[in-house]
Structure formats: structure tokens, C-alpha cells
Amino acid sequence: MSLTEVSQSQQRRDLRLPLGLLLLLAALCAPFVASTYVVHALIIALIFMLPAHGLNLLVGYTGLLSLAQAAFFGIGAYASGLLAVTYGTPFYVNVAAAGLAAGAIALPLGIPALRLRSTSFVMCTLGFVIIGQAIAKNWISLTRGDMGLSSIPKPHFALGPLSFTVSGTTAFYYLALTVGILATLAVWMIVRSPAGRNMIAIRENETLAESVGIPTWRYKLIVFMLSAVFAGVGGSLYAHYLTVVSPLTFQMYYSTTMLIIVLGGGAGTISGVVFGSLLFVGLTEALRVTPGTSDDRLRALPARPGLLVQKGFCPRDQPPLGFDREREMTGLPILEISNLTKSYGAVKAVDDVSIHVERGEIAGLIGPNGSGKSTFFDCSTGLGKPDSGKVRLDGQDITGWSLNRIAREGRMLRSFQKTVVFKSLDVEENLIIAGQMFSFPSLFSTFGIGKLSRSRVSGLRERAQELIRMAGLWDVRKQPAGNLSGGQQKLIQFASMLMPEPKLILLDEPMAGINPKIIERVVETILYANTSLGVSFLIIEHNIDVVTSICRRVIVLDQGRKLAEGLPQEIINDQRVREAYLGG
């Protein structure tokens, strides 16, 4: 990143606060300078901004495309309307119940739906809207069917002796504005928290996120529920503003409108949702009756999604870390794998393989292409499920554990044959994400932005900077990882695995496709981690010179079976190995 680009980025950040304050001032003054209908259009925009904020957490930050927002919007509207009509409860009770009802219903819906991928997940969420509308039409005793709920009272507040009703367009506008500001601040807090960074990691590369200990499925479920809560709150405002709710509240048009707000304003930005709501809902609503407005003016609006807002007002957050764990350099095995077998139909990719890695050891795993090395790694690290066999880490049976659990609880991390990094994030952010789940005691604690969270983030940043210096990446630490060379990305991947101070690292062809200078740097880094940090290694590698120079012991696989094991020179001189791997 050039100095000019850094300067421009800083200037944009410096403008966020004054522009935000200017927008807030304009919003506060709007009822005094705009017509009643324009204020009505702004209320509709503010109402739709709430479910759009929730959808942005899913689409923009976590990378999940959902069409279910209209379903949760309708659930919130009906929940709030039923409470107000049936029990006469105050507005703050209704709006809280609406959000909770939508979030609670999202839980059983999300558990199976989030097991699906891409198009299947999108179609499943579309089904939620259709089912919701069908229930609203046919559960007549509760919803009154096509007649809908009518005479829903305007928002009523009862606070001890103080009791008042929000009536009139201007008063409701300020209520909607207040709720909208609170919702925007809530999203800002989520995005700035360590959880926000984990969400971005899931969006960028879910498998890589799993490998650094992030429980991706649980995060997606929580974000899906949070998204529903925002939609439910929006539905509550909708019900109390229009005073009528019908099955049409579940219409697909609402889901597509919310999606257009997010994509058109700029997915993954908070300000994009604000401006998208004003542009695609507020302005469209206002232009319906504005004198002298023609369809040509609508066609003149920006047509490229994301063009309006490339960066939000809110920073993409700051991160955490730091552990000091004493290591014992003993001859005891840190990893024991016994009789591991994995078949694909009649083909045994891994056939009854048993190996061990001693604590503090660098062991090599070699073999010709197709010998089962990567499959062996997958079954050992939770990315694949073995047919039989046991995997023990530090004496604990971890067979069947998920990839993220092995990383988080076992402190055994792995790389991948194809280098993977979080491409849109800079080098420092890549490392911070790798350490986050090891710094925070629970998944829910990552949603905090308090003093303790900031302290953990500061520790993570310091450790990340130390490892960046060690890897020789200091000059490019603020550049997006995807812009760097393949060799530099290998160094990022390796430095990231050192963030949580692992016990054991499994490297899958770390020297493949990089130039000799970077190979030297990777070898130096491995040796430093082993001798200074006490990290044990099991390395798949085809570069025999590297294997013989850094590995104390070498294991050979051929056709899924263990062919040989011994000192590097013994393996090089073994005739069976020469025939199978070195070409005789």
C-alpha cells in the first residue's frame, strides 16, 4: 500500500465522525423543513433499516445470503400487534417481545438450515417466508387470517406515574429515529468486537477460520438469530405505525427490498445500510407523490450496487491475544496415531497407519503423490472422519473432534496444501484472527468491547507484531494479504499458526511453489519456533533437501500404508523408498 493510499484511507476515516454528526443533525431537523409525507417516507426508511442491519450482519459480515428477513419481520409485527391488542401492554414490552420471538423462532429454523450450503441455504430461507405467510393466512383463531390484525394502538409508554402515547407523524418519526440510532450503535458494537472479526474470517474462508479454532457453525447460528432480532424489532415498529398487520407483511417483496438496501448501499458497511435505506426506501417512497417527478429520475439513480458507499463510517474493528505457557521438552509423544484407516469405496486412501510425534520433535512425512498423506492429515485433524483408528494428543483421545475444537482445546494446528489466508484483511488482522479464540474464555465473550476485551485485543496486536517481524513481513503488515506473493502468504499462514502458542503444528507441503529465498525464511521460522518456542512439527514435504536438513525422523507412506520410518539418511538409503518415491 503506497503512502498516498494510506493517506487517503486516513482522510476517509477522519471524515467519518463529522459526516455522521452532520447526518444526525439533518435527521433531527428533518420534520421542521420537510413535508408530512416526506417525514412519513423517512419513517418507512428507518423501519426497513432495522431488518437491513440484521441482514448486513449475515450477508456483509458473515457471507450468508438469506431471504428470510420478511418472515422474521412479520413474526415481530404479529407478536407486537397481538400483545398490544390482546393485553394492552406498553410499547417497550411489545418491541422487546417482538425481537425475542423472532430470535427464538430463528433458533430451530437455523439449526438445520445452516447445515446447508450456498444455493440450498438460500432456497431454504425463501421457504421460511412462504411458510410464514401460509401460517398467517390459515391460523385464523390467532392471526385473523386475511382480515389481519387491525386497531393496533400507537406506541404507549407507562413508566410509573408517567404515561404517554406517541401519536402523530412527527412524534413517531423521533421514536423510529431513536430506535434506529440504538440499532445502528448495537451493530457498530458487534462489528467492532472480536466476534465481528471472526464473522469476517468466516466470510473470507470458512475452513481456514475453523482451523484457527473459530466454531463457525455456532457463530453463523448466533448471527442468524441476531439478524432475526433486528427484523423482529423492525416488524414491531411497522405494526404500531401502520396499526394493521396482515399476511402481506410476509411478502417476498420485503425480503428483496432489504437485500437491495444491503447490496446497493454497500454490503459489509454500516453506513451503507443507512444510506441504502434512505435511497432505496425513503427516496422511492417520497418520490411517489413529489410533484414533477418522473420515472426518468428514478432511472438516473446509481445502478451499481456498492458504488454509493465503499467504506462505512465505522472502522472495521480492532482485535486481541497473549499467552505464556511453559513448555516441557521431553521425549514423550505429543501425538500418537494408531491404526488409522480411511476408505473411499474400495480404495483405501489410508490403510492401518500408526505413527507418533515426540514432544519437541520435527518429524517428516513423505511419499509419492497419491500415497494418502493429505488424507492422513485430514483424518488426524478433524477435517475428515476416519473409518477406524485412534488419535491421541498429549494423551487425550481426540478422535472425532472437529477441526476448530482440536485447534482451540488441543492446541494442534494445521496448514493446507493450497495456501489460504483471509485475502481482504491486512497481514496484522490475519494474525489477530488466528489468536482470538484462544484469548477469550467463550464464544459469547467475543461480542464484548469493554475494557477487558480491549486489553485482550491489545495483547493480541502486540504478539502479532512480534511474529510479523520474525517472519520478515513488517514492511507489508498493513497490506491486504491477497495482494502479496505466494511465498509471503505462506509466511502469513505460518505466523498465524504461532499466534495461539500451539503444542503441535502439522504443515502440508510448506515449501511448495515458493522461491529459494522464501524457503530459507520458512525453514528459519520453523527452526525458531521449534527451538525457542518448543513447538513440535509433523511436516509433509516433497523437498528432500529440506526434510533431511530439519527433520530428526522421517516416515514414508506409499499407497496408503506406512512403508518405512527412521533417520533421514536411513530413509534416503532405503531401497524400498528409492523405488517408491525417489524413482530408484
Side-chain angles (χ1 to χ4, degrees):
M1 185 179 290
S2 68
L3 290 175
T4 302
E5 290 172 323
V6 172
S7 175
Q8 290 174 346
S9 177
Q10 183 62 46
Q11 288 173 2
R12 285 196 295 268
R13 284 195 293 270
D14 293 342
L15 286 173
R16 285 171 179 163
L17 182 59
L19 285 176
L21 292 174
L22 184 63
L23 180 63
L24 178 60
L25 180 63
L28 292 171
C29 296
F32 299 103
V33 296
S35 66
T36 302
Y37 189 80
V38 170
V39 175
H40 157 77
L42 290 173
I43 292 172
I44 299 298
L46 288 167
I47 289 172
F48 273 84
M49 184 179 73
L50 299 174
H53 269 318
L55 186 61
N56 192 35
L57 290 176
L58 270 179
V59 176
Y61 289 97
T62 315
L64 290 172
L65 179 60
S66 170
L67 297 175
Q69 285 302 84
F72 301 123
F73 186 76
I75 289 167
Y78 268 99
S80 192
L82 284 167
L83 282 174
V85 169
T86 308
Y87 301 104
T89 49
F91 173 73
Y92 52 82
V93 172
N94 299 339
V95 74
L100 290 173
I105 292 173
L107 175 61
L109 295 179
I111 288 172
L114 289 167
R115 303 287 183 187
L116 303 174
R117 296 283 180 174
S118 59
T119 307
S120 299
F121 174 74
V122 175
M123 296 307 294
C124 185
T125 59
L126 173 60
F128 296 159
V129 179
I130 297 170
I131 292 168
Q133 189 171 51
I135 291 173
K137 281 186 176 182
N138 295 296
W139 196 351
I140 297 174
S141 61
L142 179 70
T143 65
R144 301 181 189 173
D146 287 320
M147 297 291 292
L149 292 175
S150 58
S151 301
I152 298 172
K154 290 292 186 179
H156 174 71
F157 291 84
L159 304 170
L162 182 63
S163 178
F164 62 94
T165 299
V166 176
S167 59
T169 304
T170 299
F172 199 98
Y173 168 78
Y174 283 115
L175 173 63
L177 180 63
T178 302
V179 175
I181 291 171
L182 292 174
T184 303
L185 287 174
V187 173
W188 178 76
M189 291 173 67
I190 292 170
V191 169
R192 278 186 61 88
S193 73
R197 187 175 293 105
N198 287 344
M199 288 155 53
I200 294 171
I202 293 168
R203 180 194 70 194
E204 291 290 304
N205 191 310
E206 188 172 338
T207 303
L208 180 57
E210 279 273 338
S211 75
V212 296
I214 299 173
T216 57
W217 183 82
R218 280 186 280 171
Y219 263 105
K220 290 191 290 186
L221 182 60
I222 289 171
V223 175
F224 188 67
M225 292 172 65
L226 284 173
S227 176
V229 169
F230 280 98
V233 171
S236 177
L237 277 176
Y238 177 90
H240 286 279
Y241 180 57
L242 297 183
T243 70
V244 62
V245 180
S246 76
L248 290 177
T249 311
F250 289 89
Q251 61 185 309
M252 197 47 223
Y253 170 74
Y254 285 172
S255 277
T256 55
T257 298
M258 296 161 193
L259 187 59
I260 288 169
I261 289 171
V262 172
L263 298 181
T269 64
I270 296 174
S271 55
V273 171
V274 176
F275 285 113
S277 301
L278 293 173
L279 176 64
F280 297 110
V281 177
L283 184 59
T284 302
E285 187 75 16
L287 290 177
R288 287 184 181 182
V289 295
T290 302
T293 300
S294 69
D295 291 341
D296 290 336
R297 293 198 183 181
L298 289 176
R299 283 193 287 269
L301 294 173
R304 288 175 57 190
L307 184 63
L308 180 68
V309 180
Q310 295 297 330
K311 298 289 181 185
F313 286 140
C314 307
R316 272 177 109 96
D317 18 69
Q318 314 278 43
L321 173 98
F323 306 97
D324 277 321
R325 194 174 61 251
E326 293 184 1
R327 303 177 181 279
E328 296 180 3
M329 301 296 290
T330 72
L332 299 176
I334 189 170
L335 179 67
E336 296 177 272
I337 301 173
S338 307
N339 309 112
L340 199 72
T341 300
K342 178 66 177 179
S343 299
Y344 296 99
V347 178
K348 284 193 174 182
V350 179
D351 188 3
D352 197 35
V353 175
S354 298
I355 71 166
H356 72 279
V357 178
E358 294 178 4
R359 193 179 303 275
E361 179 185 31
I362 301 177
L365 182 63
I366 67 173
N369 289 327
S371 61
K373 303 184 299 297
S374 293
T375 302
F376 180 77
F377 262 27
D378 289 346
C379 293
S380 304
T381 58
L383 196 60
K385 185 178 180 181
D387 298 331
S388 61
K390 293 288 184 183
V391 181
R392 293 184 179 277
L393 180 65
D394 248 356
Q396 183 175 15
D397 187 354
I398 62 169
T399 312
W401 283 21
S402 66
L403 179 62
N404 76 76
R405 186 183 177 190
I406 289 174
R408 197 172 60 253
E409 297 182 26
R411 300 292 175 105
M412 180 172 82
L413 280 76
R414 65 160 296 176
S415 70
F416 297 90
Q417 204 170 77
K418 180 181 178 183
T419 307
V420 283
V421 293
F422 302 119
K423 292 185 178 181
S424 70
L425 302 181
D426 65 38
V427 175
E428 195 172 288
E429 290 289 305
N430 267 264
L431 268 67
I432 288 168
I433 285 173
Q436 267 187 174
M437 290 310 298
F438 303 87
S439 303
F440 286 80
S442 68
L443 181 152
F444 291 101
S445 67
T446 62
F447 284 86
I449 60 169
K451 185 177 180 180
L452 181 58
S453 178
R454 291 197 300 271
S455 174
R456 287 175 174 143
V457 167
S458 178
L460 277 170
R461 192 172 297 281
E462 289 176 8
R463 180 166 177 78
Q465 290 174 353
E466 290 174 7
L467 291 172
I468 287 169
R469 285 191 179 94
M470 180 202 69
L473 297 169
W474 184 256
D475 292 340
V476 295
R477 70 189 184 282
K478 290 300 181 182
Q479 290 194 27
N483 292 353
L484 304 182
S485 70
Q488 289 172 314
Q489 289 183 21
K490 291 263 188 185
L491 289 169
I492 294 170
Q493 187 179 46
F494 185 72
S496 295
M497 287 187 288
L498 294 177
M499 279 294 289
E501 297 191 352
K503 299 175 183 177
L504 173 66
I505 291 178
L506 280 64
L507 297 175
D508 196 346
E509 299 189 24
M511 312 301 167
I514 57 177
N515 65 53
K517 187 175 181 181
I518 297 291
I519 288 177
E520 288 179 13
R521 171 68 71 173
V522 173
V523 169
E524 289 171 3
T525 308
I526 291 172
L527 293 174
Y528 169 81
N530 178 249
T531 57
S532 301
L533 305 179
V535 183
S536 306
F537 288 89
L538 178 61
I539 305 174
I540 293 176
E541 184 52 57
H542 287 298
N543 188 322
I544 298 301
D545 290 336
V546 170
V547 172
T548 56
S549 66
I550 68 173
C551 294
R552 190 172 77 182
R553 187 166 51 90
V554 179
I555 302 144
V556 185
L557 293 186
D558 183 37
Q559 297 180 5
R561 286 182 167 273
K562 185 165 79 170
L563 178 65
E565 179 178 354
L567 298 174
Q569 201 56 46
E570 292 174 350
I571 295 300
I572 293 297
N573 295 329
D574 191 307
Q575 186 60 32
R576 295 173 302 163
V577 175
R578 287 179 172 275
E579 291 173 358
Y581 183 61
L582 302 174

